[in-house]
Amino acid sequence: MGSRTAPSWSNQAKNIVCHLRDRESQSCQPSTRLIRERQTYSCIYPNDTLYDVKAPNCVFKRFTTDGQHLVCFSKNLHAVRLYRYNGPPNHALLVPESAFEELFTLVYEKTLTSGHELLCKEFCLFTFNQEHMILASAVQSPYHYYPPAFPSAIRDIPSLDNVTFWVLDIATGNIADQRTLENDYIYLQNHSGVHLFGDILGITSVRNQTIYVFHIRESGKLVSVRNIGWLNYDDDELLLAQCRTEEERYQKKRKLDDGFSAIDLSNFCRAGICMDISQTSSSVTDAQATTIGVPSPGLSWQLNADEHSACESECDCEEEVPMSGIKQRMMACLYQKAVSSRNPYSALSHFYRTFPQFQSLVMWRMHFLDAEHIIIKFGNRDVVVSAGKNVETSATQQAQFFVLYSLTTTQVLSVYENTSEELLELLMDRHCLSGVPHERALHFVSGPTNNEHARDALRRQIRSVKNARNGGVQQAIKRVLGPMPINNQNVIECPYLDHSLYSYDEKFVNNQDRTRTISEFPARFFSRYTGQFKFALDTNPTPASSSNIVARMLRKHVNYIFHPTDPLILTIQHGTTQNLNIHYRNSFTPCD
């Protein structure tokens, strides 16, 4: 028997016939079957495009993880629509008037909201078992006063919402469960404030400064597990209740003691035993007072009153902005880091100077690294609360901190700034930080952690920012770490975005699911093995002229919806009207 050798570059640059023949006649090396199957996509790609396809009046979101359905929202954002994907076309007579109806079939339309409550068109998650999807809706809270749920909550947010999370059965559209968080402030755009890890759902409340952790059962029911923020352990509330009971008991005893003291003093005054304080103070000289070590009574009372008022003001300040349990853990980690440094005196001095800045930070994003660790993003309070949809762009220019938190020990293991080179190295080495939809998606989702070409692209980006005007090392690291933490299901799973198979300009398209600005040039895809041009995604097929220049200028944004396995890509242009283009593989068009 001949020895099996690794495939060479010349062997990988084959057409589909050679790939199929090799798969039938040759065996692959151990643990390389998926790699060989993935190489087939270098020969199967979209080679035809239908422009201005007639489509229903709805908002297209994404394909399900198995690629069998397309999720859409109604135009008024009150209902969700599900279309079944019928498979690639098997004939060449695909026309724009009927292409969508041939490729997709409406399964159901489920109305979830009404009135001013709208579904978030940029929020859609799928559970690990691929049986349920999670949607979110929001409506402005009708109340003028919003009592905080926790003492550490932010009280000066001008507008709050009632946010509802819906768990729907994908096959039937039935509502499995729903949870409403009233008077809250949660970032729903691009799943920024929500993260799904397996069957664990984490929701970050900016207003309450709390992370709500839910467990998703097989039936789709949401079970509250714990809250992280004001408290660290589940039984912390019992200890606080005991402290409040002891405090109330002490205050009652103190009032009784003060009442008895006042009654005794009044009896002494009625009997004429109480002397005039002014006369007593005048008879005692300052020298005697200094010798005895006791100040005059009038001065003593004045000092006590000032101290009492100062203490009251301090207590009021502490009640307005108390330190939560998770922030106390963060400050303890920073203190221990300062104590264990080479120069503890200088490090502690810096810690005390920056203490108010760290205390004023607010958390607004979280990410599960695994079942026992999470990373929490803290930012400037004014930027997080007032930036709105532009919070990621505005926060990138400010100082941000990433806190590594242990769920089992409730300890902060480390604190990284957004200029940390150590965190940048972790981003390039740990796939849990770069973001993948789920564990089975590692074969088609390429990033700096599992692909050398993606790592080189990231290094070129860092080098370009470092050498630019007003750039530098810190600015380059800020640019890279700004989008962190990257939500898993915000990453597109598609073989045509695999850096091992194709090279493309990431300015036009990449594996992040979000709205992009339309470019005058198409997104071109080249073979990674041969450098040969394969296909292009052109949203503006006609050249700019005086007749269509106005229509081209009105179309400013575009969304790319990639099918996870088939050579099918939908591009949706947004402007005065919504235009749908379908990029598919026409088997009757000659290609290599």
Side-chain angles (χ1 to χ4, degrees), residues 14 17 31 37 43 60 136 165 195 199 218 268 291 321 368 407 447 466 493 528 555 587:
K14 297 178 180 179
V17 177
S31 303
E37 293 179 359
C43 302
F60 299 93
F165 294 92
H195 186 240
D199 55 357
E218 292 292 335
F268 278 116
T291 305
V321 188
F368 283 100
L407 296 175
K466 186 186 303 182
E493 180 186 6
R528 179 67 70 178
R555 301 176 184 178
S587 302

Side-chain angles (χ1 to χ4, degrees), residues 256-274:
L256 293 176
D257 295 342
D258 293 343
F260 287 129
S261 300
I263 293 174
D264 295 341
L265 181 61
S266 62
N267 294 333
F268 278 116
C269 291
R270 291 193 191 97
I273 301 176
C274 184

Side-chain angles (χ1 to χ4, degrees), residues 56 93 95 144 176 223 242 269 291 313 351 376 396 496-497 509:
L93 301 178
V95 293
H144 297 284
V223 180
Q242 295 177 1
C269 291
T291 305
S313 62
F351 170 77
I376 308 173
T396 303
Y496 303 106
L497 298 177
V509 60

